[in-house]
Amino acid sequence: MTKAEKNHLNRVAGLGCIVCLNLGYPNCPAEIHHLRYGVGAGQRSNHYNVIPLCPDHHRNGGHGVAFHAGKLAFEAKFGTERELWFQVNGLLKEAA
Ligand SMILES: [Zn+2]
Ligand SMILES: [Zn+2]
């Protein structure tokens, strides 16, 4: 990982969970979720295709809460990971 990538991840995590923010709870400590584009071998996500999610919204929450418990249910409720990614990058630009 390059220094710039590390810096970017720190800034993304520093935003707090993007879902909690949209629910009205800013600054919820977040971990990094890597977006996946396409399917199949060779499609590796890079460190810029990331969004901040708290442990509950990332993997600990149940179906309909955690992204990794069910992507479709998560996206129906909170927006697609692509939409959240656009929002995150807008916030980073404002903060820059
Ligand atoms: Zn959250
Ligand atoms: Zn993830």
Side-chain angles (χ1 to χ4, degrees), residues 9-94:
L9 292 186
N10 282 336
R11 291 185 68 214
V12 169
L15 291 173
C17 175
I18 192 67
V19 171
C20 285
L21 178 69
N22 290 339
L23 294 175
Y25 304 101
N27 303 315
C28 184
E31 51 194 37
I32 295 293
H33 167 68
H34 284 82
L35 275 59
R36 283 174 211 142
Y37 292 126
V39 279
Q43 291 274 5
R44 290 198 62 204
S45 57
N46 71 41
H47 294 298
Y48 291 98
N49 295 323
V50 294
I51 58 175
L53 294 175
C54 66
D56 279 358
H57 283 128
H58 192 205
R59 58 177 117 220
N60 288 345
H63 192 255
V65 176
F67 183 90
H68 290 289
K71 177 178 157 131
L72 289 181
F74 177 97
E75 293 193 328
K77 259 175 130 171
F78 305 125
T80 66
E81 58 179 355
R82 184 62 78 101
E83 283 166 353
L84 295 172
W85 183 85
F86 273 114
Q87 185 188 358
V88 164
N89 281 275
L91 290 171
L92 288 178
K93 244 173 233 159
E94 276 172 31

